[in-house]
Amino acid sequence: MAHLTVSVEYGIHCLLWLVDAEAPLSSRDLAELQGISPGFLAKIFPKLEKAGLVTASEGVRGGYCLARSPEDISFLEIVDAIEG
C-alpha cells in the first residue's frame, strides 16, 4: 500500500477548499485555514499550477482558483503534480 506524503495531503485539502471558494484564495489564507506554514504551501502551489490544476491571479485580491471543474481533476493528477 502506498503512503501519501504530507505535501499531497495538504495539496488535496487546499484543492477541496477551492471547490467552494467564491473568490481566489491566497496560499497564506489556505495555510491559515489548515494551521500550517504559508511557506510550505508556497512550494506546493507552483506545482499544481504547472500541472494545470489551479490558476493564479495577482494583486490585492489575487490568489488561486481551480483551473478546471472538480469532476475533471483526478486524485492521480494531484499526486503526480506534487510528487512528480
Side-chain angles (χ1 to χ4, degrees):
M1 180 176 171
H3 296 280
L4 296 177
T5 64
V6 172
S7 296
V8 171
E9 182 179 347
Y10 286 127
I12 291 167
H13 289 171
C14 287
L15 293 176
L16 289 171
W17 278 102
L18 293 176
V19 169
D20 291 327
E22 296 177 10
L25 293 172
S26 70
S27 58
R28 183 171 301 280
D29 292 336
L30 290 163
E32 282 183 26
L33 288 168
Q34 298 180 73
I36 60 174
S37 163
F40 184 73
L41 283 187
K43 295 176 184 175
I44 294 173
F45 269 96
K47 295 176 182 180
L48 295 172
E49 185 176 12
K50 184 177 179 182
L53 301 176
V54 298
T55 56
S57 56
E58 296 181 14
V60 175
R61 299 199 184 263
Y64 292 96
C65 294
L66 291 180
R68 302 186 300 222
S69 170
E71 296 83 18
D72 295 334
I73 298 174
S74 74
F75 186 76
L76 182 60
E77 283 182 288
I78 300 167
V79 174
D80 284 344
I82 295 171
E83 292 299 319

